[in-house]
Amino acid sequence: MSRGTEILYKGSRITGKHDTPECEPIYLTNAFNVSDLDELDFVYDGGGYAYNRTCNPNRTLLAESMTYLEGGEDTLICNCGMSAITTALQTLVKAGDHILSDRTLYGETIDVISRVLGKFGVEVTYIDFADLDQVRAGIRPNTRVLYTETESNPMMGIVDIAAVAEIAHAHGCRLVVDNTFTTSYMIRPLEQGADVVVSSLTKFVNGHGDTLCGSITGSREFIKEAYEIQQFTGSVADPFSCWTVSRSIRTLDLRMPRHMDNAARLAAALEKDPHVTRVLYPGLASHPQHELASRVFEHGYGGMLSFFVPEDREKINAFMHALRYVRYAMTLGGPRTTIAHPVTSSHYDVPEEERRKMGITFGLIRVSVGLEDPEDLIADFTNALKVFDD
Ligand SMILES: *Cc1c(COP(=O)(O)O)cnc(C)c1O
């Protein structure tokens, strides 16, 4: 055979026993060979792999982990949180249907519901899910889905999933819950009565700030329907991203307590700081839903918090410069503590009046608390906050 042909085939087949590597390999392949048409039938019956959009071992393995963690029957792994949310909703609604949604969602989720699904004739109303009377009153004859997050961004509001699920089911609706901020370590929405849980694995679940990935977990029947949509629209995660998230899940239960313990300590320190007017953290007795948080969250109150400083652009800039370790980043759930400024990022498009109604002012800083030594972390914030002195 010529070099031109050999170069294609040499080194493309592993020989010897290779099906028990200690760490799962990354299956970077578009397709899998089948030896004959009988084997193809076996693959079609779910016994193997043929094409990457249809199935990939790294996606299968990650799905198995997420199904276990969220306590569901099956999981679909998507290329990011947004595609997981979109795929789940595309499975559940059609033109003429109505979605009743919490008002304080992740910005792009509102865009998907209002602008993307809206284009295809899906209706939506946004209300406050903390007020169960509003939830009951908001359901219409064509409502199919109730949609909420376990903890809202950036005000750290909490929704009573079990109570909302009861209302949803009494009206024949399904409840979809985004568990990104809290993860299965703190709450398993399916156990509280939700029908579908979606998550941006990009955040705490992957936890290393290096990958985009998302998941949908629910009943076997629902995931089968969602899988069909995913096959057509192609919202699949690539093998490498799945592999990084699978790797990270091994340490989820070691990382989360550290995030949460650091957040609790930082929240307490910020609440005492004279430059901070208010701290939003569900673990503080001052949080309006502290009791609900204690009832629904396991192990603690999460790694996210927000706090208010004076609405002074120059001083906020000086504060950002004065932080020695902590940096600004438009993400969350990573190993390093990061801050964000909702008015100029996640809520930039929200009109000022509406933003103020939500309580989001220019002085609001959101913190994703990382894995640092807590003393260093607190010192970094309290030192930098001194810029508000003069
Ligand atoms: C980040 C995030 C998403 C979107 O996830 P991507 O992986 O960035 O697509 C959805 N919901 C919440 C609550 C998020 O924080």
Side-chain angles (χ1 to χ4, degrees), residues 62 201 205-206 211 213 240-249:
L62 178 55
L201 307 180
V205 173
N206 183 55
T211 301
C213 203
F240 186 70
S241 297
C242 294
W243 183 90
T244 56
V245 180
S246 288
R247 167 215 59 185
S248 300
I249 282 175

Side-chain angles (χ1 to χ4, degrees), residues 50-109:
Y51 185 59
N52 193 352
R53 174 157 44 74
T54 317
C55 233
N56 177 280
N58 294 105
R59 273 209 309 281
T60 308
L61 293 171
L62 178 55
E64 187 181 327
S65 292
M66 287 310 299
T67 299
Y68 167 73
L69 290 173
E70 291 290 0
E73 289 179 0
D74 204 357
T75 294
L76 206 60
I77 299 296
C78 300
N79 65 310
C80 67
M82 287 322 303
S83 66
I85 291 164
T86 307
T87 302
L89 291 174
Q90 283 172 329
T91 309
L92 288 167
V93 295
K94 59 179 185 329
D97 287 347
H98 172 249
I99 297 174
L100 183 64
S101 173
D102 192 20
R103 179 175 288 141
T104 57
L105 300 183
Y106 185 72
E108 283 89 331
T109 304

Side-chain angles (χ1 to χ4, degrees), residues 100-103 125-139 146 167:
L100 183 64
S101 173
D102 192 20
R103 179 175 288 141
T125 40
Y126 297 99
I127 56 155
D128 181 2
F129 271 41
D131 179 354
L132 297 175
D133 288 335
Q134 282 190 37
V135 178
R136 277 184 211 100
I139 293 181
L146 273 65
I167 299 169

Side-chain angles (χ1 to χ4, degrees), residues 78-216:
C78 300
N79 65 310
C80 67
M82 287 322 303
S83 66
I85 291 164
T86 307
T87 302
L89 291 174
Q90 283 172 329
T91 309
L92 288 167
V93 295
K94 59 179 185 329
D97 287 347
H98 172 249
I99 297 174
L100 183 64
S101 173
D102 192 20
R103 179 175 288 141
T104 57
L105 300 183
Y106 185 72
E108 283 89 331
T109 304
I110 292 181
D111 291 330
V112 162
I113 296 176
S114 293
R115 292 166 58 178
V116 181
L117 296 178
K119 238 170 72 169
F120 297 98
V122 175
E123 299 165 15
V124 59
T125 40
Y126 297 99
I127 56 155
D128 181 2
F129 271 41
D131 179 354
L132 297 175
D133 288 335
Q134 282 190 37
V135 178
R136 277 184 211 100
I139 293 181
R140 300 180 190 168
N142 60 338
T143 306
R144 293 285 169 272
V145 170
L146 273 65
Y147 190 95
T148 188
E149 294 170 0
T150 48
E151 185 178 14
S152 73
N153 173 36
M155 298 303 283
M156 308 299 150
I158 293 156
V159 169
D160 187 344
I161 305 292
V164 173
E166 210 180 302
I167 299 169
H169 297 155
H171 293 85
C173 303
R174 306 236 225 158
L175 174 61
V176 181
V177 177
D178 181 331
N179 196 14
T180 301
F181 267 41
T182 35
T183 82
S184 61
Y185 186 76
M186 283 173 68
I187 184 168
R188 281 174 302 285
L190 298 176
E191 285 176 7
Q192 308 257 329
D195 300 282
V196 178
V197 59
V198 290
S199 183
S200 169
L201 307 180
T202 308
K203 313 292 173 53
F204 286 104
V205 173
N206 183 55
H208 290 69
D210 51 14
T211 301
L212 287 180
C213 203
S215 66
I216 312 170

Side-chain angles (χ1 to χ4, degrees), residues 331-348:
T331 185
L332 62 104
R336 287 176 290 275
T337 297
T338 53
I339 56 165
H341 185 244
V343 166
T344 54
S345 56
S346 56
H347 291 72
Y348 190 68

